[in-house]
Amino acid sequence: MKWSSFKYLARQGLHNMINNRLMSFASVGVLTVCLIITGVAGLFTANMNSLMLYLRSQNEVVVYLDENLDEAGLASVDSALRSISGLKEVTYVSKDEALDLMRDSMGDKADLFDVFEGEENPFLANYKVILQDVGQMDEIVPQLESISGVVDVNVPTGLSDLVVNIHKAVTVISVGLVVVLGFVSIVVISNTIRLTVFARRKEINIMKYVGATNGFIRLPFFVEGIAVGLIAGLISSAIVLGGYQLLIIYSVDFPAFWGSILNSVLLGMDQVWWKVLVAFLAFGSLIGSVGTATSIRKYLHV
């Protein structure tokens, strides 16, 4: 096909979209709604994954040491701990440091612990251990407990189980939601475009009778479908990103606990805006063009 013919057919497609603006508006509206729902689900999935990563980092295990442990025993425990794979950080806390930490946590009542100075200190020296992956908790804890000189291991088992279960549930639900909404988008848009093509079936039949090729007939509709998809992609990305920016702005007004978590896990706008825009434009134009191609096929056989 000559470039001049291509430009003519492309202009004809845009012209047809304007002439049939009611159906074009309906197609853009339906696709925009589907893209918004799909985009919200996608952003929810991305931020839930970010939350899972945050919760996985909150997996501190405290390893308490025998109070009669000498320097050689302490060195042996230190060496054994650091040889275990899967540990992100290993920090030693002496008896005096443990007492100071308790004082700091008591605020104005810190002087109540002055009686525990020196030999009266009831706290045990310990190691604070952070795991690389909370999912390895059940595998690593027995190794910590088996070390000679360790008297107890304080494990956040509730958090461990919660993180693993939530991650599995979020993964299944999010993937299922995106797949279902994507399928619904394809079906709805294909049917909407089919109505547009059906309304112009006589025009297609006349073009076939006078000798127009299938490619000549398809191209204007193809351009029209892509244009509808791109417009819907721009509108939906603006709405979704605008709403997401408002969430980021107003997250600072949430209660202290939830606000701190949101600020820690919410993906920044610089991380998501271009992904959302590219995905919406690509998905919108793909659905528009594929829907047009499948819808017009039956009317090409005169």
Side-chain angles (χ1 to χ4, degrees):
M1 179 182 296
K2 295 182 179 180
W3 174 245
S4 57
S5 298
F6 178 82
K7 289 194 298 182
Y8 166 76
L9 293 175
R11 286 196 302 268
Q12 190 65 28
L14 296 176
H15 180 71
N16 290 340
M17 186 179 70
I18 296 173
N19 286 343
N20 297 276
R21 48 186 172 274
L22 183 60
M23 293 303 298
S24 298
F25 179 78
S27 298
V28 169
V30 172
L31 183 53
T32 297
V33 171
C34 292
L35 285 175
I36 289 174
I37 297 174
T38 305
V40 170
L43 283 176
F44 177 77
T45 302
N47 280 284
M48 284 304 296
N49 287 334
S50 178
L51 175 60
M52 291 303 102
L53 292 176
Y54 172 79
L55 291 177
R56 284 176 181 272
S57 68
Q58 311 301 307
N59 51 24
E60 184 178 83
V61 176
V62 182
V63 180
Y64 293 100
L65 306 180
D66 188 341
E67 59 182 347
N68 298 317
L69 204 63
D70 57 17
E71 291 296 328
L74 180 60
S76 176
V77 172
D78 188 272
S79 176
L81 281 173
R82 298 182 188 280
S83 66
I84 297 176
S85 61
L87 302 186
K88 183 179 180 181
E89 294 182 18
V90 177
T91 305
Y92 175 70
V93 180
S94 68
K95 290 168 62 74
D96 292 336
E97 290 172 335
L99 177 59
D100 291 338
L101 288 173
M102 180 57 70
R103 280 174 171 161
D104 293 340
S105 68
M106 296 300 294
D108 296 338
K109 299 181 180 180
D111 56 349
L112 294 176
F113 289 86
D114 290 345
V115 296
F116 297 123
E117 291 285 355
E119 295 182 358
E120 300 298 325
N121 188 343
F123 295 97
L124 294 175
N126 61 80
Y127 278 91
K128 294 186 183 299
V129 176
I130 297 179
L131 280 61
Q132 293 178 351
D133 184 356
V134 71
Q136 296 180 309
M137 187 80 71
D138 293 338
E139 176 185 343
I140 292 177
V141 168
Q143 299 180 56
L144 299 175
E145 294 174 333
S146 66
I147 297 175
S148 177
V150 172
V151 295
D152 191 23
V153 178
N154 187 7
V155 184
T157 53
L159 176 62
S160 167
D161 295 338
L162 177 65
V163 170
V164 173
N165 292 334
I166 288 180
H167 187 264
K168 290 180 180 178
V170 167
T171 300
V172 173
I173 293 174
S174 299
V175 171
L177 187 61
V178 171
V179 170
V180 170
L181 288 175
F183 177 76
V184 169
S185 299
I186 293 175
V187 172
V188 172
I189 296 305
S190 295
N191 288 335
T192 303
I193 294 176
R194 185 173 286 112
L195 291 175
T196 305
V197 176
F198 179 79
R200 295 158 64 182
R201 65 191 183 282
K202 292 182 179 179
E203 175 186 340
I204 296 174
N205 290 339
I206 292 172
M207 293 174 68
K208 284 289 293 182
Y209 279 127
V210 298
T213 64
N214 290 344
F216 188 89
I217 298 173
R218 276 197 183 104
L219 188 57
F221 291 99
F222 191 74
V223 171
E224 184 177 348
I226 292 179
V228 166
L230 291 176
I231 293 172
L234 288 173
I235 295 174
S236 56
S237 60
I239 294 174
V240 170
L241 291 175
Y244 189 72
Q245 180 63 31
L246 289 176
L247 175 62
I248 293 175
I249 293 173
Y250 287 107
S251 64
V252 298
D253 296 330
F254 279 72
F257 174 74
W258 293 108
S260 63
I261 291 180
L262 281 175
N263 289 329
S264 299
V265 304
L266 273 181
L267 299 174
M269 182 61 73
D270 59 325
Q271 296 176 273
V272 302
W273 75 266
W274 62 272
K275 295 179 182 178
V276 171
L277 181 60
V278 171
F280 278 15
L281 292 178
F283 187 69
S285 58
L286 176 65
I287 296 300
S289 59
V290 171
T292 300
T294 57
S295 300
I296 197 175
R297 182 179 303 168
K298 66 175 293 186
Y299 296 106
L300 295 178
H301 302 289
V302 179

